[in-house]
Amino acid sequence: MASGGGYRHSSSGAPTRLSTKIDKQNSGAYATPKASAKSRIPASPSTGSGFRRSSSGPLPAQPRASADAGVPGRVRVAVRLRPRNSEELVADADFGDSVELQPELKRLKLRKNNWESETYEFDEVLTEFASQKRVYEVVAKPVVESVLEGYNGTVMAYGQTGTGKTFTLGRLGDEDTAARGIMVRAMEDILADVSLETDTVSVSYMQLYMETIQDLLDPANDNIAIVEDPKTGDVSLPAATLVDIRDQKSFVELLRVGEQHRFAANTKLNTESSRSHAILMVHVRKTVKGRQDMDMSYRGENGHHTSSHSLRPPVIRKSKLVVVDLAGSERIDKSGSEGHTLEEAKSINLSLSALGKCINALAENSPHVPVRDSKLTRLLRDSFGGTARTSLVVTIGPSPRHRGETASTIMFGQRAMKVENMVKLKEEFDYKSLCRRLDIELDKLIAENERQRKYFEDEVERLRVEAQKRIAEAEKSCKIALENDKTKFQQDYMDSIKKLEEKWKVNQQAIEKSRAEQESRTATKSDELLEVRNMLENEKNLRQSSQDEIIDLRNQIQHWKKLEESRGAEIVKLRKLLDTEASQKEKLEEEIAVLKSQLLQLSIEAEETRRSLDRGASGKIFPGFDSLMSQANRNSQLRDQTNGPKPPIAKLFEQVGLQKILSLLESEDADVRVHAVKVVANLAAEEANQEKIVEAGGLTSLLTLLRSSEDETIRRVAAGAIANLAMNETNQEMIMAQGGVSLLSMTASDAEDPQTLRMVAGAIANLCGNDKLQARLRGEGGIKALLGMVSCGHPDVLAQVARGIANFAKCESRAATQGNTMGRSLLIEDGSLPWIVKNANNEAAPIRRHIELALCHLAQHEVNAKEIINEGALWELVRISRDCSREDIRMLAYRTLTSSPTLQAEMRRLRIEC
């Protein structure tokens, strides 16, 4: 036996060396024997009983109501034949096999003698040449897929001792990975499907020995009690050790530790016969994605749109996979058991007999099923006649000496095929996670409310101070203007009065003088009298003009008084505006109070929900939920009526038509062209629209826009649309035929916006993945354009450049692998290798991953080996093979280094170990 690095307990207390619990005789049982077995004479096919076969695929996810009712699922049974071992090749050399397999018909013939045989049908018939992978796919993989969908599952092996049950289930595959058993392969599929960030996988490993359940991971825990739920009848082992699994390596180590503590003994039929039933339980707790709905949203005072998490609690699925490696049934006269080994055999046979009675009762629809006769039947209560999906593999040997045991095993499988289970989905709500999320959302809402309130108070205070300042300035300016006008008008009035008095005095003097002259002269002079009259008339006119000036001054004073009154009215309006803002402040404070009350009500309802969960009311949703959602729907409808409908791109596509949208690309209005090219880019993002766009001439229009437009936005969006269309191989050839690479290269040389460069680099990167276009792509400057965009330095642009180089290198590597004669890499000829070496250890993970892939693909071609060495890329390859976080890239680098003679010679010269 190959060394397994541990020991197992024998029934007599002496340790026995462990490989994977398969002795020399059985470890080669499923390999093709060196001496070919005698040709078997096929018996005439007979019509067997037509049993129904259940589907091998995973159960579909059912709605809540149907999942609670259950889905019928029959126990599936497969039979596996062990090849003759070395002892049987000698002892039974003159006899034919006792069974004949017809795998294409899924039938098995059991020979009574040389003339008669009995035919049995199974769900699967596995020959002695069936691989471990084939056995896993037809027996266990459908059950594992059901477990990942949220259903319980059981995989069990039954058969005579020495027929390969442990080989089928528990082989670790240390020496040969192809020999891995069902346990190891099932865990690989489970870990590949779950997300370790949100899901958990835990394992317990036990053995049922002499009607006591013992923990294989903790030998001191040697008497584990079975606990049954009085309501549901589910069976659990709370005292068993439960270990969380994070990777495959730790799981294999747990299996190895468990196998070291399992009891085994040496009998005539098997040098290392299992003396206990091994039970592996894998608990999977998986969060269901894509079931979150009923989101609510609100818009803050500052205009930012904030979305809350779903008020529906996350859905989790708790399922369990049980893998049972039953101890082999044996006859005392054949096994030669005695002493303590005899007692072990009796216990094994009694538990297997109890299991057979339960299956008989279930197959015959008996009203009483004796599940309490044995701890084994109690543990498998959910597997047969319960809610789990069960798959049974029965193992048989070819030797005619054990025909009776083979017939008993076959009949056990036939009866098990009649057992019907009602498979149920194990799904529930994670209310604790919802409460935690609601608490966080409540804290965010309170903080946002306080921030908005503080912003509103600061804004009101600022407006009040500004209004008071403006009112004070207006009052001051009005007062100064009125004082200046009053002083000016008073001064003008006094000056006018003085002028009039002076004129009046002058006139009085003139009158007095004229009177004196008149008295002194003769009254008969008519000319002088006329002159006096004229002077009097002039005096009257002067008085009239002075009175008119006084009236004008009074009118001006009235005008300034009215102006003062109008400015006073403006001051009154400003005061009213301040009062209006104060009332708006009060209304906003009332709305804030309403929001606080709603938040308080939400927290109270969340607390009531938590309390109801503690009391077991898991199926009820808190009463305020419906009203809150109806209010949110009404608010959403009101916003829709206020803002107007916003049709999606698909609806716009149906209403306007593709030709109309494409015609807008040639519009003279720059804004119309920008919106039109954005619509075309959004349509091109969906694969269903790409063919229609190309047929309607959209690709030609986009290339024309890229050639003629000088608008940076149009060129960026057009390049993004071309990148979307370039994901299709047919579109790639059309882009090349219409000179698309040259246009993209010119755009890359002219553009300065990193987003435009990212779109152009993405389009060229998609074209680099086409094997047929590589020479033309390089000839039209595609590679040089990619390398020219490196100077931008933007991480997104560098990621697209690295992706394009990786695609190009992969195509070159694939062409070399297919036997096409190629010279030195075109990438190396265009000078990309120095940049690849420089950025092979870039901090950005996307850039580093693509460059590591490109470097590995370049090094696979022997012609490039000298350039790889000269540019210092060999050290990067060694680093990738050792330190790369991704196992596939690390293994690719390792295979590249070990397969290249030139690189191997250089590594030996530099004394580098891979």
Side-chain angles (χ1 to χ4, degrees), residues 55 106 168 213 249 310 322 404 486 499 704 783 912:
S55 174
K106 297 184 180 181
T168 300
I213 302 175
K249 182 178 179 181
S310 171
V322 181
K486 182 177 179 181
K499 289 180 180 180
T704 303
I783 302 302
I912 301 175

Side-chain angles (χ1 to χ4, degrees), residues 809-824:
K810 185 177 181 180
C811 290
E812 285 188 334
S813 175
R814 186 161 51 236
T817 304
Q818 293 174 356
N820 297 335
T821 57
M822 294 180 60
R824 195 173 61 155

Side-chain angles (χ1 to χ4, degrees), residues 36-95:
S36 61
K38 294 183 177 181
S39 60
R40 303 181 180 92
I41 302 175
S44 59
S46 60
T47 58
S49 58
F51 293 108
R52 295 178 289 112
R53 292 198 294 268
S54 62
S55 174
S56 61
L59 289 171
Q62 301 292 331
R64 174 72 58 182
S66 62
D68 293 339
V71 179
R74 178 177 60 78
V75 175
R76 300 186 76 255
V77 180
V79 61
R80 187 179 191 185
L81 176 64
R82 172 180 60 77
R84 290 192 180 191
N85 53 36
S86 57
E87 180 184 350
E88 291 171 347
L89 289 173
V90 176
D92 300 333
D94 297 332
F95 302 94

Side-chain angles (χ1 to χ4, degrees), residues 664-674 714:
L664 294 177
L665 295 176
E666 301 175 0
S667 174
E668 296 180 358
D669 191 343
D671 293 335
V672 174
R673 290 199 306 274
V674 170
I714 293 178

Side-chain angles (χ1 to χ4, degrees), residues 227 678 735 884:
V227 178
K678 287 182 178 179
I735 292 172
C884 183

Side-chain angles (χ1 to χ4, degrees), residues 633 635-645:
N633 292 333
N635 293 337
S636 176
Q637 293 175 0
L638 183 59
R639 286 196 301 271
D640 293 341
Q641 293 174 2
T642 303
N643 301 331

Side-chain angles (χ1 to χ4, degrees), residues 749-865:
S749 62
D750 297 336
E752 296 179 358
D753 182 21
Q755 297 303 321
T756 303
L757 293 175
R758 180 173 69 88
M759 296 298 181
V760 174
I764 298 177
N766 290 336
L767 294 173
C768 287
N770 194 325
D771 297 340
K772 303 176 183 178
L773 306 177
Q774 284 203 307
R776 294 172 57 189
L777 181 67
R778 187 247 184 170
E780 293 182 17
I783 302 302
K784 291 188 180 295
L786 281 178
L787 295 176
M789 285 183 277
V790 170
S791 60
C792 171
H794 196 278
D796 294 341
V797 179
L798 295 181
Q800 294 298 330
V801 172
R803 183 171 70 87
I805 291 176
N807 289 342
F808 200 95
K810 185 177 181 180
C811 290
E812 285 188 334
S813 175
R814 186 161 51 236
T817 304
Q818 293 174 356
N820 297 335
T821 57
M822 294 180 60
R824 195 173 61 155
S825 171
L826 299 179
L827 288 173
I828 295 177
E829 290 183 359
D830 280 352
S832 62
L833 187 56
W835 183 83
I836 292 175
V837 175
K838 180 180 178 181
N839 291 270
N841 199 15
N842 196 288
E843 294 180 358
I847 301 174
R848 184 175 64 255
R849 184 179 72 252
H850 289 308
I851 291 179
E852 288 174 347
L853 280 173
L855 189 57
C856 291
H857 287 306
L858 286 174
Q860 285 184 335
H861 197 23
E862 189 66 18
V863 179
N864 303 328

Side-chain angles (χ1 to χ4, degrees), residues 734-754:
M734 295 182 65
I735 292 172
M736 293 294 297
Q738 297 184 25
V741 174
S742 301
L743 286 175
L744 292 171
S745 300
M746 289 190 297
T747 304
S749 62
D750 297 336
E752 296 179 358
D753 182 21

